[in-house]
Amino acid sequence: MSTTAPSAGAQPFVLTRRRINLIFTALVAGMLVSSLDQTIVSTAMPTIVGDLGGVSHMAWVTTAYLLASTLVMPVYGKFGDLFGRKNLFLLAIALFTLSSVVAALSPTFEVFVASRFVQGLGGGGLMILAQAIIADVVPARERGKYMGPMGAVFGLSAVAGPLVGGYFTDHEALGWQWCFWINVPVGILALLLGTFALKLPAKRNHARLDVAGVVLLSATTTSLIFFADEGGSAGWTSGVALAWLAALLVSAVGFVLVERRAAEPIMPLSLFRTRMFVLPTALGLVLGLGMFSAIGFMPTFLQMASGTSAADSGLLMLPIMAGLMLTAIGSGLAITRTGRYRAFPVAGVALVGAVMAWMTTLSGDTPLVTIEIMLFLLGAGLGLVMQVVVLVAQNAVPATQLGAATATNNYFREVGATLGVAVFGTVFTSRLTTGLTEALGGNADQAAAAGITGPDTLVPQAVHAAGEPLRGSIVGAYADALAPVFGYLLPFFVIGLVLALLFRTVPLSDVAGMVARGEAVYEGGIGGEGATPLGAGATAAVVPAQAGGPQAGGPQEEELGSSSAPGPRHRR
């Protein structure tokens, strides 16, 4: 690998507090536009597919975005390490904004799905690059107070998205197209902020790209998503599902073999020899598996239980946002103040597991206030964990691998989410169909009078208007189908708790990634009272000043199986 560094007489790139804050503003704008789009479509989906004639292929709207964003995560991460992140970040924003225009103008369902795929290509990059850039400019010791608000952006979008999407859809003067038009001004603003505020040093690299690794990882990801999708709809033993499973296994084995020999692997296997990278990444996978399953099923139940519209039911999810924002920001500030993080994932996983156990008691008679308390505590538990696992994984790797480590950590969380929604969605749907058939059969006359002809024709308003005992039977069927799903998730949170308890307290680096690589210097006391300490992969104290190439060494954390684990030296 050949990388050009600033010449001895070049003006050094100086990390000032103002510059960091401007960079952070640009990153939040990019993350907001990406995370909002993932949720704003949910309430508008029935109208969109109805207008475009794609009701029978509705799943493709979600699958296209999920597939594309998961595919490009490792690519953005590794390419950012090699070639710099600013231009990639701007490319991701541009892709996202342009595809939003195409989505709003889509004349057919096929064009709309294609635009969603391109949106995913941009959205996946925005998520990964924002987290990696923060690691480049902010030391791990201070990063918590930045990553907390970034996590809160996702919590805000989870609730604001459905509300805004429902508002646009319900108003004929606007229409569902505004779910995408709204991305355009926000995207342009993010592009301008990124262009002028995201000041990062240029980096040129002549490394040989891992093309085979990209192809095989893409094949593995595609096979996984279609296996989960096909298994969840047609059955896990269906011929098509088994064919995708075979493709998944073959491509995964081929990927590992290629990565072992690649000069610059897209997903470095050396990461998996570092204990404090493996543990938070595995915990992220478990959280993705359980978290998205639970959050994904609750809105439907709440709509049926409350009788509200899809848009109004978004308000019932506000407690999750409130709990997540409170603990994500609070834990980030606490980590910055104390430098300790181990207690937060332990407490968070334990709290989420306890709430899941409580949710197994859900019934048609459970008061709405009780459900809202459950959701608040669920959000509070997630806020204690979500950003910490990324921070710990970043802290465990060399500064030269920050992007790859961030992408890999997020990638496995998305893998968990994909499998969780597919597997437990199948369980929920199967039980729900049986329960609804029994509920409608036992109240056939009342169902006919209410215009409810079968499980597929149920809408919340009709259920609420039907009155008792039919309404109670239908809500009970939803609760009886949903409650056991939470019970099935409990073993995974037990595994997650064990993983969190195995965390070791590795001191957080007090030097930013760019400084550790010799690409920048501090101004004043940012990250270290004027001196340049070790951190984020450095193995010896360095003083970048104006000259020198990248200064990054081995990982800070011990490799799995090592007999000794000398930690980095940190100035306190």
Side-chain angles (χ1 to χ4, degrees):
M1 181 178 70
S2 175
T3 305
T4 61
S7 63
Q11 185 71 18
F13 184 82
V14 181
L15 287 175
T16 65
R17 184 66 64 188
R18 179 176 180 275
R19 173 168 275 172
I20 290 174
N21 288 337
L22 284 173
I23 290 173
F24 180 67
T25 301
L27 297 180
V28 168
M31 291 184 70
L32 178 62
V33 72
S34 171
S35 59
L36 188 64
D37 187 79
Q38 293 183 51
T39 57
I40 199 173
V41 178
S42 59
T43 47
M45 183 91 74
T47 304
I48 294 172
V49 297
D51 284 353
L52 297 177
V55 174
S56 60
H57 302 289
M58 183 186 300
W60 274 102
V61 177
T62 302
T63 301
Y65 189 97
L66 176 65
L67 174 60
S69 61
T70 308
L71 278 176
V72 296
M73 282 182 180
V75 177
Y76 276 112
K78 184 63 179 183
F79 281 22
D81 285 340
L82 293 176
F83 308 114
R85 309 191 210 283
K86 176 177 178 176
N87 289 335
L88 287 173
F89 189 76
L90 296 178
L91 172 64
I93 295 175
L95 282 174
F96 195 91
T97 305
L98 290 173
S99 60
S100 295
V101 174
V102 176
L105 297 174
S106 294
T108 66
F109 182 73
E110 291 75 17
V111 173
F112 180 75
V113 170
S115 72
R116 289 288 289 168
F117 184 85
V118 179
Q119 274 189 318
L121 296 179
L126 292 174
M127 181 189 306
I128 298 304
L129 293 168
Q131 294 177 347
I133 291 171
I134 281 294
D136 276 342
V137 300
V138 178
R141 186 70 166 78
E142 294 188 26
R143 206 173 299 152
K145 66 183 179 184
Y146 290 89
M147 297 191 75
M150 291 172 79
V153 167
F154 286 99
L156 175 65
S157 300
V159 177
L163 288 175
V164 174
Y167 176 82
F168 287 150
T169 305
D170 291 342
H171 287 72
E172 294 183 5
L174 297 173
W176 61 262
Q177 289 85 353
W178 274 92
C179 293
F180 302 97
W181 284 126
I182 195 176
N183 291 337
V184 177
V186 180
I188 292 174
L189 175 61
L191 200 60
L192 291 173
L193 281 172
T195 300
F196 297 107
L198 196 60
K199 299 295 185 181
L200 298 173
K203 183 190 294 187
R204 295 193 302 274
N205 199 299
H206 303 290
R208 183 177 179 182
L209 298 181
D210 181 19
V211 177
V214 172
V215 172
L216 286 168
L217 183 59
S218 299
T220 300
T221 305
T222 302
S223 301
L224 170 68
I225 289 177
F226 280 103
F227 166 64
D229 184 66
E230 192 67 30
S233 58
W236 300 101
T237 58
S238 67
V240 177
L242 292 177
W244 281 115
L245 177 60
L248 169 63
L249 296 175
V250 170
S251 56
V253 171
F255 173 71
V256 172
L257 294 176
V258 166
E259 294 303 273
R260 292 177 63 183
R261 294 172 172 80
E264 288 289 349
I266 198 73
M267 186 181 290
L269 299 184
S270 60
L271 295 174
F272 298 97
R273 293 197 293 269
T274 305
R275 175 194 180 98
M276 285 310 296
F277 174 82
V278 172
L279 288 176
T281 300
L283 179 55
L285 186 149
V286 171
L287 276 179
L289 195 149
M291 174 181 69
F292 290 101
S293 301
I295 293 178
F297 302 143
M298 281 303 297
T300 301
F301 171 74
L302 288 172
Q303 287 179 47
M304 292 299 175
S306 64
T308 60
S309 67
D312 291 340
S313 69
L315 292 171
L316 299 176
M317 297 295 285
L318 281 172
I320 281 187
M321 181 195 74
L324 192 149
M325 291 182 68
L326 179 67
T327 56
I329 295 174
S331 62
L333 292 173
I335 291 172
T336 297
R337 187 176 64 253
T338 65
R340 300 182 180 276
Y341 56 81
R342 185 173 180 269
F344 296 107
V346 172
V349 175
L351 179 56
V352 172
V355 174
M356 288 288 179
W358 189 12
M359 284 181 162
T360 61
T361 65
L362 273 178
S363 69
D365 299 325
T366 303
L368 197 57
V369 173
T370 301
I371 298 175
E372 297 297 280
I373 294 172
M374 291 176 177
L375 294 178
F376 175 81
L377 294 176
L378 179 64
L382 294 174
L384 290 171
V385 187
M386 286 181 61
Q387 298 305 308
V388 176
V389 295
V390 178
L391 172 63
V392 175
Q394 290 176 336
N395 189 60
V397 303
T400 52
Q401 293 184 334
L402 277 174
T406 304
T408 301
N409 183 275
N410 280 269
Y411 176 85
F412 278 96
R413 188 192 63 209
E414 291 297 314
V415 166
T418 300
L419 291 175
V421 171
V423 173
F424 295 106
T426 301
V427 175
F428 172 67
T429 303
S430 175
R431 292 179 61 90
L432 179 62
T433 301
T434 302
L436 289 176
T437 301
E438 294 175 356
L440 296 177
N443 301 273
D445 293 339
Q446 190 180 2
I452 301 174
T453 59
D456 290 337
T457 62
L458 284 175
V459 293
Q461 293 83 351
V463 172
H464 195 64
E468 301 297 342
L470 178 58
R471 192 199 76 86
S473 298
I474 292 175
V475 173
Y478 271 88
D480 292 342
L482 187 57
V485 172
F486 297 124
Y488 299 146
L489 292 171
L490 284 177
F492 295 96
F493 285 99
V494 172
I495 295 172
L497 183 59
V498 172
L499 291 171
L501 288 170
L502 290 174
F503 276 27
R504 292 190 178 184
T505 305
V506 178
L508 293 174
S509 167
D510 49 10
V511 97
M514 287 171 55
V515 176
R517 295 193 299 267
E519 298 169 358
V521 295
Y522 292 123
E523 177 192 67
I526 295 181
E529 301 169 12
T532 306
L534 284 177
T539 54
V542 294
V543 182
Q546 281 96 337
Q551 299 281 346
Q556 316 192 80
E557 221 279 316
E558 80 278 13
E559 292 188 348
L560 291 175
S562 297
S563 58
S564 61
R569 297 188 302 276
H570 292 263
R571 181 182 21 70
R572 290 287 182 248

